[in-house]
Amino acid sequence: MIESLLAHGIWVAIIFIIVGFVALVKGADFLVDGASAIAKRFGISDLVIGLTVVAFGTSMPEFVVNMVSVAEGSTDLAITNILGSNIINTFVILGLTALVYPVISQKRSRDFDIPMSIIAGILVLCFVAVQLPFGESERGIGRIGGIVLLLMFCYFLYNTFRHAKDHPEEAEAEAIKPMGVGKAILLVSCGFIGLVVGGELIVQSAVDIATRCGVSEAIIGLTIVALGTSLPELATSVIAAFKKNSDIALGNVIGSNIFNVFFVLGMSATIRPLPAYEGIELDAIIAASGSVIVWMAVKTNKERKVQRWAGLLLLLIYGGYLTYRLLNV
């Protein structure tokens, strides 16, 4: 049905992709609210819910788009959705946030989260830059690479839970909305439906737009799809900066980047190997360098902040990268 409607023209595809993003974002919100309420009913602490249900929920848009892309064989879209989202998270969202108000970094972020994000970027770069001697037939992220990423994700979760347990004063518990079981189940159900429908609309519309415009799925994934799946983080971080609560922006961005690579990309590659595409090395380098720049920015001043100059630098680098990428399609 979707294919027949898309045959009517590119404007239908554009409308569908917008509707898909709305369904995806609202579906993730409904799923998180409903699942959190159900978990609360079973006596699970707000802190644990925040570290699991809420954390996974914020990466649901990227996860669903990737699962649909993998199922339909659009592997370029699956990789660029993650690389593009991480690039936009770091260079655009954090850059804009720091430009509005300097971003404070917590000790945990400086000592563990940012280094883990750097490791994630380096691993992806290694996987796509060389053909690894693990039985993989071509460059890219194969099943062995996917398993490595998932193992790193398990270590990240373990360390996060252990830190929260050892330093309860640093951990922020989520404020869970109380609701009845029936309403919670309804929200979870609607959330799943919204995610599935939204993901299907986005992937099929993105492929259709790429075909009609004569550009690769990789470019669409790096721009339209990546920006769409990053919209919740963008809105949250910039609004927080205007309220001078920009400290949550760094945690949101770095946490999202780690989840995207270790969990979403790891799961995607484990299900279906993701071969390299033309230009992937540059995309991986930019994605990996973002966390390095942020780490250097917070380490080079006594306030341990991402200052306005660093925000401007991030935005300028992204502008140069995007211009080069679009001119060399």
Side-chain angles (χ1 to χ4, degrees):
M1 179 181 176
I2 294 177
E3 293 90 337
S4 61
L5 288 173
L6 286 172
H8 286 84
I10 192 171
W11 289 109
V12 174
I14 293 173
I15 292 171
F16 273 15
I17 207 168
I18 294 172
V19 172
F21 282 131
V22 173
L24 201 67
V25 172
K26 293 307 296 181
D29 287 343
F30 287 161
L31 183 65
V32 168
D33 288 346
S36 297
I38 293 172
K40 185 71 173 176
R41 287 272 180 173
F42 281 95
I44 299 173
S45 71
D46 291 356
L47 176 59
V48 173
I49 293 172
L51 292 173
T52 54
V53 177
V54 176
F56 278 92
T58 55
S59 289
M60 268 294 133
E62 289 88 351
F63 179 74
V64 172
V65 168
N66 265 46
M67 290 301 100
V68 175
S69 299
V70 166
E72 298 186 358
S74 299
T75 54
D76 287 2
L77 201 60
I79 300 182
T80 53
N81 175 39
I82 298 305
L83 292 180
S85 291
N86 283 13
I87 289 170
I88 289 174
N89 281 348
T90 306
F91 288 94
V92 178
I93 295 177
L94 198 58
L96 283 174
T97 304
L99 208 57
V100 173
Y101 194 78
V103 177
I104 301 171
S105 68
Q106 304 297 331
K107 187 176 186 301
R108 163 74 178 181
S109 293
R110 297 193 300 270
D111 295 347
F112 181 74
D113 292 343
I114 298 177
M116 283 295 286
S117 182
I118 293 172
I119 291 172
I122 291 173
L123 280 175
V124 172
L125 181 58
C126 290
F127 291 147
V128 303
V130 298
Q131 184 174 333
L132 299 178
F134 300 131
E136 308 293 355
S137 59
E138 56 187 350
R139 289 189 305 112
I141 308 176
R143 287 195 170 92
I144 298 296
I147 292 171
V148 170
L149 294 177
L150 288 175
L151 288 174
M152 290 297 296
F153 180 67
C154 291
Y155 169 71
F156 169 74
L157 278 186
Y158 165 75
N159 191 284
T160 300
F161 273 100
R162 189 181 68 177
H163 182 82
K165 181 180 179 181
D166 295 342
H167 302 85
E169 73 284 354
E170 295 181 16
E172 294 184 8
E174 289 290 325
I176 309 302
K177 301 176 183 177
M179 65 180 71
V181 176
K183 181 179 178 181
I185 293 174
L186 178 62
L187 281 180
V188 170
S189 301
C190 291
F192 271 120
I193 293 171
L195 286 167
V196 172
V197 172
E200 188 73 23
L201 284 172
I202 289 169
V203 172
Q204 291 201 22
S205 300
V207 172
D208 185 70
I209 290 172
T211 302
R212 291 178 183 276
C213 295
V215 299
S216 66
E217 290 180 17
I219 294 298
I220 298 298
L222 286 168
T223 53
I224 298 174
V225 177
L227 179 60
T229 55
S230 296
L231 284 177
E233 289 91 347
L234 176 61
T236 301
S237 298
V238 173
I239 289 172
F242 276 111
K243 294 180 179 179
K244 298 185 178 181
N245 293 326
S246 60
D247 55 313
I248 69 170
L250 187 60
N252 284 346
V253 165
I254 298 301
S256 177
N257 287 357
I258 292 171
F259 265 73
N260 284 347
V261 173
F262 288 150
F263 176 62
V264 180
L265 201 56
M267 187 69 73
S268 302
T270 303
I271 294 172
R272 181 192 288 252
L274 307 174
Y277 57 86
E278 185 177 355
I280 192 173
E281 292 85 358
L282 175 61
D283 299 336
I285 288 171
I286 294 297
S289 66
S291 295
V292 176
I293 295 171
V294 171
W295 186 76
M296 291 176 64
V298 301
K299 287 289 188 178
T300 53
N301 63 87
K302 293 180 180 179
E303 294 83 9
R304 296 293 186 257
K305 295 179 180 179
V306 181
Q307 302 284 8
R308 285 189 171 91
W309 67 264
L312 179 60
L313 176 63
L314 289 169
L315 289 169
L316 289 174
I317 292 174
Y318 179 76
Y321 156 75
L322 184 62
T323 300
Y324 176 84
R325 204 66 176 83
L326 293 176
L327 291 176
N328 291 272
V329 175

